[in-house]
Amino acid sequence: MYRWCTDEVEPHDRFDFWREVRAKGLFGVTVELEPERRANFFGEFSLRQLGGAGLVELKASHYTVERSVTDIADAPGDSLCVYQQLGSGGWFGGMRGSEFTIANGSFATSHTDQPYRAAPLSTGGFHLRILKVPLSGLSTQDKRMRELAPRTFDDPGLKPLLDACFADLGTVAPGDDGAADAAALVQALAHLALVERGILRPGSRLGQAALRTARLSQARRMIARHLQDPNLAPTMVADLLGVSVRHLHMLFESTARSFSQTVTDERLNRSRRLLREAPDRLIADIAAACGFDSLATYYRVFNAAYGMAPGDFRARGPEGR
């Protein structure tokens, strides 16, 4: 992951550096801010390469952004963008005369080489994630993708799916172990965007694959949210997702771990973290906090997974793990 913050630059140079090096050089946009407001400018971003795409998270003070025809000619992208608005919301104005606002937690899509203007809705500034997926890396090719001007998602049913995929994408482990997961999540996000824009049919092979990946992410988020409940079961998660228990099990068939194995792994991982972070907490409390129905069950499952008791794991300290 690459991270950068304006704290690395002298205060009087921060906005100019952001405008000329980061905004224009890295993002291919023109940014402006009134001279009298530049002294207090702040900006930071992170960039991760995941599944053949770039995931950017950006926070910055209030300013205006434009991706003009000149900017596009100087720095063409030919990528599909999926935006997740965080913070207070933003305004987008297409260069074709259309405009819209995007609220906190909402999503938008566009092709990188469609012009637009943007600004945050409040003085709090920008906070958003942007997934840039090169069209060359998508499993579908359609010339209409290059005509996608910025627009919000209109289908409210897609929002929880996108939320789950973005959340999982942000936690993908670096290296080869997470490469397949990252690629599947990137393709799912891109194809859900194309479904929403009418380029892919929801019932198509790619549309259905995207829905399965996104629902699996949703199921995993539900498991994490209800992990403390010892009654966590497939029927509970299926009801929360609005799918059948059979469909839920089919989602996990595409992974190396079944539903019950996923729950057990998550409980063990959370308990290991608590054993490290709370050395004085009773092991019985940790077992209950992670959803094990009894202390005996916790000891049995922990020993089967790691070949030692929870207390022995804690006694080894950070250096021995």
Side-chain angles (χ1 to χ4, degrees), residues 278-294:
D280 297 325
R281 188 171 181 179
L282 294 175
I283 291 177
D285 288 344
I286 290 175
C290 296
F292 289 97
D293 57 8
S294 71

Side-chain angles (χ1 to χ4, degrees), residues 133-186:
V133 189
L135 296 193
S136 60
L138 288 176
S139 301
T140 185
Q141 298 294 317
D142 190 305
K143 64 180 181 180
R144 291 175 294 171
M145 293 190 290
R146 292 184 172 85
E147 301 170 359
L148 295 177
R151 199 184 80 184
T152 55
F153 275 74
D154 294 327
D155 185 349
L158 289 177
K159 182 182 180 301
L161 299 175
L162 297 166
D163 272 331
C165 287
F166 261 104
D168 275 0
L169 195 58
T171 60
V172 166
D176 294 339
D177 290 345
D181 288 340
L185 289 165
V186 165

Side-chain angles (χ1 to χ4, degrees), residues 268-277 283 298 302 306-321:
L268 287 171
N269 289 336
R270 183 174 293 184
S271 76
R272 279 163 43 107
R273 187 168 66 251
L274 291 174
L275 288 168
R276 288 193 299 264
E277 295 173 355
I283 291 177
Y298 177 48
F302 195 100
Y306 306 118
M308 68 180 80
D312 295 331
F313 173 85
R314 172 182 271 172
R316 292 176 66 178
E319 295 80 7
R321 296 168 198 162

Side-chain angles (χ1 to χ4, degrees), residues 15-32 45 58 63-76 132:
F15 181 75
D16 288 340
F17 190 91
W18 183 271
R19 178 179 58 187
E20 300 302 325
V21 178
R22 297 307 174 196
K24 190 171 291 292
L26 187 62
F27 300 115
V29 296
T30 299
V31 303
E32 292 297 341
F45 70 89
L58 181 147
Y63 60 86
T64 60
V65 179
E66 179 179 337
R67 181 143 166 86
S68 66
V69 173
T70 301
D71 293 324
I72 294 166
D74 290 340
K132 291 187 176 182

Side-chain angles (χ1 to χ4, degrees), residues 215-216 218-223 226 231-252 259 263:
R215 285 182 180 136
L216 179 60
Q218 269 191 299
R220 286 170 168 162
R221 310 308 292 184
M222 290 293 182
I223 288 171
H226 296 277
N231 297 315
L232 176 62
T235 50
M236 175 194 292
V237 175
D239 286 345
L240 290 169
L241 294 180
V243 301
S244 68
V245 172
R246 181 175 179 273
H247 184 78
L248 179 69
H249 284 303
M250 288 176 61
L251 295 177
F252 282 90
F259 177 91
V263 171

Side-chain angles (χ1 to χ4, degrees), residues 102-148:
I102 177 169
N104 178 28
S106 296
F107 296 87
T109 53
S110 73
H111 185 271
T112 51
D113 299 346
Q114 288 291 320
Y116 67 87
R117 298 188 182 94
L121 287 177
S122 77
T123 56
F126 287 101
H127 186 192
L128 69 158
R129 293 191 185 104
I130 309 168
L131 181 69
K132 291 187 176 182
V133 189
L135 296 193
S136 60
L138 288 176
S139 301
T140 185
Q141 298 294 317
D142 190 305
K143 64 180 181 180
R144 291 175 294 171
M145 293 190 290
R146 292 184 172 85
E147 301 170 359
L148 295 177

